[in-house]
Amino acid sequence: MADNHLQFLDIPRKDPDKRAVEVRSKEFREIYSQYSAEQAGQQAGRCIACGNPFCEWKCPVHNYIPNWLNLVKDGKLFEAAELSHQTNSLPEMCGRICPQDRLCEGACTLNDGIGAVSIGAIEKYITDEAFKQGWKPDMSNVVRTLKRVAVVGAGPAGLACADVLVRNGVTPVVFDRYSKIGGLLTFGIPPFKLEKEVVEKRREIMEGMGVEFRLSVDVGRDVGFDELLREFDAVFLGMGTYTYVKGGFAGEDLPGVHEALPYLISNINRELRIENEASRFVDMRGKRVVVLGGGDTGMDCNRTAVRQGASSVTCTYRRDEDNMPGSRRDYKNSKEEGVTFLFNKQPIEIVGTDRVQGVKMVETRLGPPGPRGRRIPEVVPGTEETIDADAVIIAFGFLPSPADWFAQQQIALHANGRVRVSAAPQQRFQTTNPKVFAGGDMVRGSDLVVTAVFEGREAAQGILRHLGVRARAQA
Amino acid sequence: MTNRDPADFDTSLEGRDPRDGDWGLCRSSYEKDSCGFGLIASLDDHASHWVLQTAISSLNRLTHRGAIAADGKTGDGCGLLIKQPTAFLRAVAKESGLTLAPLFAAGIVFLNRDTAKAGRARRVLTEQLQHEKLKVAGFRMMPLDPGACGSEALKTLPVIEQVFVNAGGDLDEATFNRKLYLARRRTEKSLEGDDPIFYIPSLSASTIVYKGMVMPQFLAQFYPDLKDPRLEASVVVFHQRFSTNTMPQWRLAHPYRYLAHNGEINTVQGNRSWAVARGPLFRSPVLPDLSDILPVVSLTGSDSQSLDNMLELLLVGGLDPMHAMRLLVPPAWQSVDMIDPDLKAFYEYYATHMEPWDGPAGIVLTDGRYAVCTLDRNGLRPARWVITQNRHITIASEAGVWDYLPEEVVKKGKLGPGEMLALDLQTSELMDTKRVDDLLKSRHPYKAWLKKGVRYLQTDLIDPRLAAEPFDRDTLAVFQKMYNVSAEERDDIIRVLAEDESEAVGSMGDDTPMPVLSRKVRSLYDYFRQQFAQVTNPPIDSLREGIVMSLQTQIGVEANIFVPAQAHAEQIVLSSPVLSQRKLRQIVALADSGVPNEFIDLQYDEQVDLKTSLTKICDQAEAAVRNGTIVLLLSDRYLVKGKVPVHALLATGAVHHRLVKTGLRCKCNILVETGTARDAHHFACLIGYGATAVYPYLAYQTLFDLMRKGALKMEAAMRQELGRSYRRGIRKGLFKIMSKMGISTIASYRSAQLFEIVGLGNEVVNLCFEGSDSRIQGADFKDLKIDADYLAQRAWDRSENVEQGGLLKYMHNGEYHMYNPDVIATLQSAVMTGDYQQYREFAALVNERPVSCIRDLLKLKSQAAAVPIDEVEPISAILKRFDSAGMSLGALSPEAHEALAIAMNRLGARSNSGEGGEDPVRYGTEKNSKIKQVASGRFGVTPEYLINAEVLQIKIAQGAKPGEGGQLPGHKVNDMIARLRFARPGVGLISPPPHHDIYSIEDLAQLIFDLKQVNPKALVSVKLVAEPGVGTVAAGVAKAYADLITISGYDGGTGASPLSSIKYAGTPWELGLAETHQTLRANELRHRVRLQTDGGLKTGLDVIKAALIGAESFGFGTAPMVALGCKYLRICHLNNCATGVATQHNVLRSKYFIGLPDMVINYFKFVAQECREIMASLGVRSLTELIGRTELLEILPGETSKQRKLDLSPVLANSALLSSKPQYCIDPHNEPYDKGVLAEKMLGDMQEAIAAKLGGQFSYAVHNYNRSIGARISGEIAKHWGNAGMSAAPLVVSLKGSVGQSFGVWNAGGLHLHLEGEANDYVGKGMAGGKIVLKPHTDSSFTARDTIIMGNTCLYGATGGELYAAGTTGERFAVRNSGALAVVEGAGDHCCEYMTGGVVCVLGRTGVNFGAGFTGGFAYVLDMERDFVDRYNHDLIDIHRVSPEGMGTHVQHLRGLIEQHVAATDSVWGARLLNDFRSYIGRFWVVKPKAAEINSLLENLRRAA
């Protein structure tokens, strides 16, 4: 029974099997299979339990990674699930969609040539498998209070906040304008990365814990914010960012030019069979598609287009390969699935008369670092060329989309539209309206799911202290 | 030290004369001493002046065991204790006009030079004597020659007078002495505190003491009486002192009134504390009332003095010296299987009334009737005796202290561990140990008494009820949260204790803040730092030398030691103080049968403050004991919501001190039922502050839960014994903690308070831990209450989880770690890119971290205008001050080890080999380590290794695990490591906790001398670890002629060590460095030694702060390792280091090690550059200007409530009185007093023969003061020709006489030393080649094979060569032998300990514990008595009878060895064996490691050759 301290050498890193390209690029199903218990144990056993767990340090929610890896190694699945949930409200989702190569696995000590522990796959395995075997978060110790909190937005921030609240005896009521929970998890992320049954399962679990969802309710329209403030002891806002970044070049309004998120949502609506109007569905079948932007959203568009049967998909990005922000894994999968990447290309115009015909691009090279430390691309003169396209998807990211009633509710914003919150330990994520807390993309700007989870959880702690459910904060 | 006025510690002691000793962080109470000693007695009680003269000349020949002050003449003190020279005293009294009665006493009195004070002292003494109805005949002005004193001694020379007292009427001598004692004691008490000079060296009708602060050669000059031929004595005890301090203290010279002591009483703190507690119990029929002379034992001053006080009390109370010494310093008896039951009963009976005063101790004493010499159970001090034809016996630390002729010797011998030699001057009977024991055991029916009185608690083989009432999960969580048990502690500490039956092992250092600095709620136990032995006393190896250890614990009422009675044997005996549930219940159940108990609930209402709660607890305890309660059960077991438990340690300490103060302590026993005790340190704290036994229910419950969850990796059957295995683990840990201080029995450890407290304020210390050092103050009751309330609030909040942890490893939201991932990542990125800006990011992370170290609370304060940076000394000047810390090849991969060496050499700095030896191919190249370490394992320490060094570092202790030896796990010992360490591949290697040649400060001086002899150019460095008193130890080290001293902090790293050692021992270097710098300056020693500090140094700011506190040189361990790619994984001990730094695994080393010397070079250049920038900003141009300039540091107020209560002013203390004293080293070398004249002459004679590799024959006469003979030659041989040296053309040296210590040390190939006579300790230590032959003088008449011919610890760490000796050896022969071949005719205890190679043939009886830790090589032992099976250590070796059948090669080999032995030594015994070889052959055993094949032994030997 002795541990093999050299397991990380004896057994190489092995990700769960991927479906073959031919199969997967035609369907909207997750491409990775699940580890068997034995595989999971073996892979988890590769962890060397560093004195400095770089994985945990790099993880935005600081998951107790070495500890649950150890439990998986020992076959203690339920304990692993319990522990995994101590720091993360949506581990099965993060395990699927986190860019682990830039976070935990990128920081893993073994990533220096030996092969990082497959943390993401194991994280996913833990919760999936535990759910399958009937595990549920243990709520038996929760002492119910009479406090109720409204959570606006059923995205990662809102769900995380609701999870922490309900575990502390506070009843969360989650409002969302969509008919399903998950926000971007459901509507933004294509099912080949995250099947929607996973989100549904989470809903079932959370409802079982005592979370109430009020869906298809648009706060501010279907229900007044004042009403929420009256009815609830506090409000959490986790409304995300939905304003698309524009390219600012000519031809953006041409037919055949699509914004990324509506494109993705339309596809998912069809997949989920909850489409309201079939006409909103954007079909790329047989088209030459150009995706502008190299972030995660761009990757999702690429691969959605591939699956819809596009005749070609080309992704352009204005910096070089190394500087591309999207997950390496998605990049690799995109390439496997046939996407062509063009680096150091900046669009300057979308060409076409009545509909899109091509994208005019210039070449770029990397200049000196800008104020945020990243090098700014410079245009190389005389390099214009046009790429033919039947459809263009713009995936330049998102800007905050503050609701018009914020000002009226004394919810102050930063100049760029992000919601202002307190950083003091006692009032974490409290907005300028003391009864209102906020977190996630609307507070920090468009970012990862896992950071939204973190902020939702932290905001919940702020709310608990605000409500007097938690008194402490050791200093 | 104990019971000093706590007010002394309140503030910095600025304004006091630093030479008082108590100033800054220095305390005079830290002073340690050690020495040479002896005794000469006439077997027929025939007094003569010859005895006196011989004693003085013998003393003179032990000068090298003492120390000399800066003035070159003031010794640390020496003296004589002699049987009353009645006729002489009568004569001088008459000359002074005094009339003496038939029975009279003569005393010596040290009086204050202030005449009023002297007058008062005389008057008080006279009155007190009159009060006892004794008449003072008068005072005689002692004739003195102050010209014998050095200037230091003269400064404090007292007025010395002789007082004569007449016994009135028909007083007998014993009664007279008793009255003198009472009178003297009362006089001392009434002058106490008023007159620090007044002291009575002796006042007795039986003996008299002459002593002073002079060197032995000047003693008789100082006291002209000693030259008077009329002064005749029949017994003289003599002593020469080596004190760590140089502050003249006339009163502390030995001998004391009855004894002289060589070594140290490790247990003295506990002994003193119990002496106070027992005060009310001491009632002798002949000594009815002692209440006005309490305390009977001095609570300050030297340990020997306290022992003398205790002995004196026992003697005046009516015991004889043998009886008294046997119960004060008993031999090991608890764990010895073959002991006579009656004798065992004797010891067991007295053990219930007196805890051992354990050594290391060699003690000589006389009361005028008996002359006695005894050694403690470990036998760590040498005591050699010789009986000469003139019917005198001489016992001394060394053989050959006076020049008896060989033919005059009748008999010679040595004392072994726990042995005693006693001469009854009245009957002329010389009693050995057995005779003494026989006498003592038969005085009373001890065995019968015990049989009736003692209840041994039932121990079932299996106690299935780990927890009879298991907590449900929720309850367990409440308890775990309440007592701060994290998942980390549960899994990595508690679980391992039960699974492995030993403590968890880890690596790297402790990089977390001390609890007082932390922002987390830390365990109260974390404030307590275990003390450990270094230099002045040795730690014990509790594993290999387990026979001396015992945890036996009694519960019962203590009784009067003077009145032996059956009733006093009524005790409950436990084998260990760690209780199982069943045992606790049995004890509680005894309430019905006469052992009443009181349950004391430690919980108090949350509104009540801690001090009030503690007072109530103490009140309840006191009242209960007054009502006859015998067992107090302090319990935090039954939690009630709304109440908060008082920490069990606070309660235990407070109750213990209350009971001591009220005189009730010995009437009861404190049992503690607590959730706070989980690891061995927790138990040690509770016991160390007074607990008799501890019931750790929460540890059991936690284990039970783990078992219930199936989380334990053990066989089903084993699970039943979970509690048992956990207790075994704790017991092992307790042994280790005790042995760190050199303490063998829990009885001596109990209440000894052997901790330094870091971070508790006086309010807490005074109430609960009075007498413990807490030098920088810290948390008060309010802070501790806030912590407790916080835990209580979490505990009852069901939504709060049990904490994950973060104390051992970094964890988000857990404890802060100074080497956290950010720090590691930025440092690595900086050194890889060589970008100074990135280094600045790293430095900012470190320099601006939340307060984690003491230095983080000290801020630089400029006193001058900044200077341009180009005016500051260059980087190269600063780099010279940098050393890499000792990290062994073995712990590190060769790639990492070499990269580090290359980097340091290219920088002009120095790398340190660590203790694993070094490949000779690296010598002379840029891969050579300039610092070569000499550690306790002596791996690969050969003359060639030593000669290839600029600095030789003696590693006394290591910051990560002071007081412990190293370990290199077997899987890291590959072929290469094994070759360099002279060991077997795959077999784990142990470095013993002590250096077996350093049990005492004068031993260290000897090792330094050995090293300076073999490599006269090298600087010798001594590495110490910060603890209270390290400054005084360092002062002693400076006086032992070290050139460099390193003070390491607790935060140093390690390749493998028990986690509890990493966490709980050693203190911050800021304290140790400051204390050392202050002490060295106050003692005028700072200019003689360079001072280095290491422990967690990372940035230039760290370096500058260390310089300001007093360091001129800086050691770095972890940081350069991180620069080479180490990511602080803490898995060094597993050999799976994924960065290839700390592993011997081929793939990891070759594929994944990325380190390059340039990364280390970048790092150090960055640090130096940062230093320059800081210097420029401070307006100084060189680092030298900063050393010791504490005025450039200002103390920050602190960020938390606890931090704000710290008082760091002692760290920065400076005194105007010292302003003229140097701040740094000035002398290029610290030259020894002993110039090694004979060795230089020998070298002169042989120089040409060596240079030309010619060989030759030489002969010399030698004496005991000719030390390290051979080393000077071996060094020269190794320099020219390497270890194998001149084997082909040997230098054959014939020597005659009694040679000094370390004969043939570091012997190189081609040096053949033939000695006719005898040798002292350390013969052939570190021998690499050549030959050493010892035989008795041809004219000697004793039987050689029964007679000792060399002392202790011979062949220690030898790697080759041959040794033949026609005689027996002392203890620990061939300890850590890894290649030498030896034939001797008998050996002491612990022979062949830790042996890893070579062949040892013992042609006679061996002592006990043969072959402990023996993993390589083999031995032949002749077992004529057929009891060897009881005398060898069965752990690792087995034995096989040598028989001609099937073992022909061994028979041949053995015969060959004996033939060589006879040829070399003319051994009579050897010749007889050969003559009748067939008769003896079956009496021989082959002893070999269990792991080795018997048939491969000889093959291995051939291959090794």
Side-chain angles (χ1 to χ4, degrees), chain B residues 268-336:
Chain B
V268 73
Q269 295 201 47
N271 299 135
R272 283 174 177 163
S273 148
W274 283 113
V276 172
R278 287 201 188 98
L281 291 182
F282 295 125
R283 292 276 181 287
S284 159
V286 292
L287 208 58
D289 185 17
L290 294 171
S291 55
D292 61 340
I293 62 161
L294 294 176
V296 287
V297 166
S298 156
L299 300 177
T300 58
S302 86
D303 50 350
S304 319
Q305 187 181 355
S306 297
L307 175 62
D308 187 76
N309 295 152
M310 194 65 204
L311 173 64
E312 181 173 38
L313 177 73
L314 297 183
L315 295 184
V316 297
L319 302 188
D320 67 47
M322 289 83 75
H323 191 159
M325 284 317 295
R326 284 316 247 178
L327 68 93
L328 288 175
V329 188
W333 56 271
Q334 288 100 332
S335 315
V336 180

Side-chain angles (χ1 to χ4, degrees), chain A residues 229-242:
Chain A
L229 287 178
R230 267 198 312 276
E231 194 187 329
F232 293 93
D233 297 290
V235 180
F236 172 77
L237 304 178
M239 298 158 66
T241 50
Y242 285 88

